Amino acid sequence: TDALELALELGDEAAAAWARTSRSEPMRKQGRYEEAGAELDEAWRVFELLGERSGLGRVAHVRGLIANLRGDPEQSRAHFEQSLEMRRALGDRRTEATLLGNLAMPAAHQGQYELAQELSQQALAIRTELGDRWGIGVSLNNIGMLAYLRQEYAEARSHLEEALRAGLEVGDLYGIAISQHNLGNATRQLGDVKAAGDHYGEALRIYSLTGDRWSLCMLFDDIAMLASPASPHEAFRLIGASEGLRESIGSPRLDYQEAELEEGTAEARHRLGPEAEAEQKAGGALDVDAAARLASALCRGA
């Protein structure tokens, strides 16, 4: 914001457009999609006027991330492919790898796991060639997530532990949170409730610190599945909080996420009967801080 104000004061349109593009990043991570979109639209207008292809490529990239967060894999893929074409023309191998990894996301969300795996491996190969340790950690996270989606939980844990080491090595706070979150999922499926609670607790701490509401939605659902056998009332209250937060930021669950949540809490829902729906409704009234406190208590009790 300071950079944008200074660029506008100096009449530097290019710098202002880059500042808007950069400012859209924390906005989209906090679920402020409309605000981020407005910044990107204005940046695109200026970059197009100036013929700044690097800027156009970055705007398309962030638009793809937002479409992914809003549950629109087709639109996400289109934006990523547009950006990838521009980056390849510029010879930007580092960002090419990032976009290949990002293209794996809409593929995975549509159940195209083989394609997602191929794209993730292509991204990892480029990052390894470049010696990009941060990028390698991101790719290992993605590959671990794909193993989880294929229900290969031990393999997922192995990749994610390596991703966590890379994140710790380079100090990537967000990458560490994602690794901890995904390790929680893998260890939950492997039956290690205590380890899953510990991993989720670390992810919760970082997501709360950064204000990452989209990730909090998913984490609340995952913690609810972990806690539902022992604390069914609180678990359904947390699911309600997730739904309220999702509605506020405009990020619905994808079909496979909905199916996993239903399966993971089916036994608890059967035990509670109508009380499950009542708890879910009560949870919808919780604000994000209260929901995070509930989630933290469930992690500690795991």
Side-chain angles (χ1 to χ4, degrees), residues 26-37 65-72 174 211-221 240-253 257 284 287-288:
M27 288 176 176
R28 66 103 179 163
K29 287 183 177 178
Q30 293 175 332
R32 297 158 58 191
Y33 303 134
E34 297 300 329
E35 293 174 72
L65 293 170
I66 292 173
N68 182 68
L69 296 174
R70 304 195 82 164
D72 190 343
Y174 189 60
D212 184 349
R213 296 190 169 201
W214 177 76
S215 293
L216 281 172
C217 291
M218 294 192 298
L219 184 59
F220 289 164
D221 288 343
S242 168
E243 289 172 347
L245 185 55
R246 285 179 180 278
E247 185 175 352
S248 71
I249 66 174
S251 182
R253 291 186 191 99
Q257 292 170 333
D287 63 30
V288 66

Side-chain angles (χ1 to χ4, degrees), residues 58-296:
R58 183 59 189 164
V59 170
H61 188 159
V62 182
R63 282 174 169 171
L65 293 170
I66 292 173
N68 182 68
L69 296 174
R70 304 195 82 164
D72 190 343
E74 288 296 338
Q75 192 66 31
S76 177
R77 177 185 289 111
H79 287 307
F80 286 149
E81 288 177 344
Q82 182 183 33
S83 183
L84 179 60
E85 181 181 350
M86 294 176 183
R87 291 301 181 182
R88 280 176 168 163
L90 292 168
D92 184 350
R93 295 275 285 162
R94 184 187 177 102
T95 309
E96 178 186 352
T98 301
L99 285 159
L100 287 168
N102 286 347
L103 276 164
M105 293 189 293
H109 290 163
Q110 293 180 314
Q112 299 172 318
Y113 297 143
E114 288 187 13
L115 174 59
Q117 181 73 11
E118 180 183 339
L119 290 164
S120 296
Q121 291 291 353
Q122 288 177 23
L124 179 58
I126 294 174
R127 285 163 162 165
T128 301
E129 176 190 331
L130 296 176
D132 179 2
R133 187 62 179 158
W134 172 85
I136 290 169
V138 172
S139 286
L140 289 169
N141 247 324
N142 292 343
I143 291 168
M145 289 171 65
L146 287 170
Y148 174 83
L149 291 172
R150 296 194 305 270
Q151 301 182 3
E152 296 169 357
Y153 303 124
E155 180 185 338
R157 181 175 60 186
S158 176
H159 288 304
L160 293 166
E161 286 173 345
E162 193 174 348
L164 178 58
R165 284 193 292 271
L168 290 166
E169 179 185 320
V170 301
D172 178 12
L173 190 66
Y174 189 60
I176 291 167
I178 294 172
S179 296
Q180 293 282 17
H181 185 171
N182 291 325
L183 275 166
N185 289 340
T187 50
R188 186 189 83 229
Q189 294 289 5
L190 289 167
D192 193 339
V193 174
K194 176 66 169 61
D198 290 344
H199 288 306
Y200 285 153
E202 280 300 303
L204 177 64
R205 182 181 65 82
I206 298 172
Y207 290 157
S208 298
L209 177 69
T210 59
D212 184 349
R213 296 190 169 201
W214 177 76
S215 293
L216 281 172
C217 291
M218 294 192 298
L219 184 59
F220 289 164
D221 288 343
D222 291 329
I223 292 172
M225 285 188 277
L226 177 71
S228 64
S231 305
H233 290 85
E234 292 81 359
F236 281 102
R237 206 175 310 148
L238 191 57
I239 290 171
S242 168
E243 289 172 347
L245 185 55
R246 285 179 180 278
E247 185 175 352
S248 71
I249 66 174
S251 182
R253 291 186 191 99
L254 298 172
D255 289 344
Y256 80 88
Q257 292 170 333
E258 193 73 55
E260 182 181 27
L261 183 61
E262 287 182 10
E263 182 180 351
T265 58
E267 184 179 341
R269 185 178 292 278
H270 178 72
R271 287 188 357 242
L272 289 187
E275 292 180 59
E277 187 174 345
E279 289 287 5
Q280 216 163 313
K281 185 175 180 181
L286 295 177
D287 63 30
V288 66
D289 291 333
R293 287 194 295 271
L294 173 59
S296 180

